[in-house]
Amino acid sequence: MSSPSGPIPVRPSLRVGDVELRNPVALAPMSGVTDVVFRRIAARLGAGVVVSEMVASGELARADSEARLRAEGGGLDLHVVQLAGRNPAWMAEAAKVAVGSGAAIVDINMGCPAKKVVGGHGGSALLKELDLAVRLIDATVAAVEVPVTVKMRLGWDETSIVAPELAVRAEAAGAKMLTVHGRTRAQFYEGRADWSAIAAVTSAVQIPVIANGDLTTFEDAPAMLTASGAAGVMIGRGAQGRPWFPGQVAEFLATGLAPDAPSVDDQRALALEHYDGLLGLYGRDVGVRHARKHLGWTLDAVAASVGTPIPPAAKAAAMTAPTPEAALAAFDRALDELQWRAAA
């Protein structure tokens, strides 16, 4: 275990409206990643809050089966659904559906940079239409009694940093928390997130602000909090293959001690739990395709924890196998090879 120098600026818990989070470390909503099985594992292992994959509001309102899977929250003590869209009526209706299915918080996506989302004028495209963004918040807040939160980026590009203005207007519209990714849409995921730029948002509002972007190590968390002045942190890609990482970051912030990564056997067990859950959630044929990237990320995480690189061929075999049986056999062979290399 390691100890950082100096105090760690963190709240032991965090309130979102009338909902109290057990700690200020959140698992970010990630399409194709934060399925309900992954979220259940991350929550069990200590994440303060976990957020669903982004759900298209119109599709959820129309009871689309895939949208309902994305919004699934069975087995979670605290269920948060993130909605995307640009039609206030659909946002309101989808929020009602989400709450009717158990959501305790509804989050609005105003930060997704994906071309498909932005092409439909949703996600971070709303950073160019602040009046519409506020109407979406107004409609969602009016539709449900649970807290409504907003996730955004700094702006569309470096010439239009609108996050502080949107934050003030979102708070006035009734939003109870904001999450800010420290990049513009134009940056996608290039370069480094600018945590200090988030400070302009935290100083502009009274509601909690969560900082997001590039948190991949324990030391990143206090640095992000200090630079941003935020009340908490959100972990996205840093949790891929590591559902245990948000809980460990929360422990680090609370104690100043960096926990060791789970053992190889424990990481294998978590991966198998997730794999089996995906087959149950999506069915065998679709589930095996959804699970491939997760096996790859798990092998990367195990490799990092034992200090040796994963052989590309071993990783590829696990990720391209056509059946669950073949995939898991290849996964086990890759783990065995990692352990053998680490012990050599």
Side-chain angles (χ1 to χ4, degrees):
M1 299 217 174
S2 60
S3 177
S5 59
I8 298 175
V10 64
R11 302 180 186 182
S13 62
L14 185 63
R15 293 196 70 85
V16 182
D18 59 358
V19 177
E20 184 167 6
L21 312 184
R22 60 177 169 174
N23 66 60
V25 180
L27 174 68
M30 292 179 281
S31 293
V33 181
T34 53
D35 53 79
V36 67
V37 187
F38 190 86
R39 282 180 279 135
R40 280 197 296 257
I41 295 171
R44 187 181 76 230
L45 297 180
V49 63
V50 297
V51 187
S52 79
E53 300 176 75
M54 179 181 63
V55 183
S57 57
E59 293 176 7
L60 185 61
R62 293 190 294 269
D64 175 81
S65 58
E66 184 174 344
R68 295 181 76 89
L69 276 180
R70 287 172 173 261
E72 171 64 38
L76 289 168
D77 291 334
L78 177 59
H79 180 33
V80 183
V81 172
Q82 186 187 73
L83 299 176
R86 60 179 284 108
N87 183 304
W90 283 128
M91 289 291 287
E93 188 60 31
K96 292 177 184 177
V97 172
V99 172
S101 299
I105 297 173
V106 173
D107 186 61
I108 302 175
N109 184 307
M110 296 186 180
C112 179
K115 292 181 180 179
K116 180 179 179 181
V117 177
V118 170
H121 306 289
S124 57
L126 293 166
L127 299 173
K128 298 192 293 183
E129 299 182 80
L130 296 194
D131 289 345
L132 174 58
V134 174
R135 291 201 299 274
L136 295 173
I137 299 169
D138 282 333
T140 308
V141 169
V144 295
E145 296 184 0
V146 305
V148 173
T149 61
V150 178
K151 189 172 189 295
M152 67 180 77
R153 286 191 167 219
L154 297 174
W156 179 257
D157 57 29
E158 62 180 11
T159 68
S160 57
I161 303 300
V162 298
E165 179 185 352
L166 178 55
V168 170
R169 296 181 67 177
E171 182 178 33
K176 300 301 183 185
M177 188 175 77
L178 306 169
T179 300
V180 184
H181 184 116
R183 288 184 175 89
T184 64
R185 190 273 172 176
Q187 289 177 278
F188 284 84
Y189 295 99
E190 298 298 322
R192 288 287 300 177
D194 186 352
W195 301 335
S196 62
I198 300 171
V201 177
T202 61
S203 63
V205 295
Q206 299 299 310
I207 57 177
V209 174
I210 302 297
N212 176 222
D214 293 343
L215 197 166
T216 59
T217 71
F218 293 120
E219 291 75 19
D220 288 336
M224 177 184 278
L225 289 170
T226 299
S228 66
V233 297
M234 177 173 278
I235 301 171
R237 290 172 294 166
Q240 291 175 348
R242 303 193 292 173
W244 38 270
F245 184 59
Q248 287 198 339
V249 169
E251 183 178 345
F252 176 70
L253 288 173
T255 67
L257 298 175
D260 295 327
S263 69
V264 174
D265 286 345
D266 286 344
Q267 291 187 63
R268 177 184 183 276
L270 292 171
L272 293 183
E273 178 185 349
H274 189 203
Y275 199 98
D276 288 344
L278 287 174
L279 296 184
L281 187 66
Y282 294 110
R284 180 182 173 92
D285 292 341
V286 176
V288 72
R289 296 196 295 273
H290 271 272
R292 286 171 177 161
K293 57 183 176 291
H294 292 283
L295 290 182
W297 288 328
T298 298
L299 290 172
D300 289 337
V302 172
S305 68
V306 301
T308 188
I310 178 70
K315 180 179 175 181
M319 293 182 67
T320 58
T323 67
E325 294 79 12
L328 295 178
F331 179 67
D332 279 341
R333 288 194 299 272
L335 289 178
D336 288 343
E337 184 165 355
L338 277 173
Q339 290 182 294
W340 176 81
R341 285 170 172 255

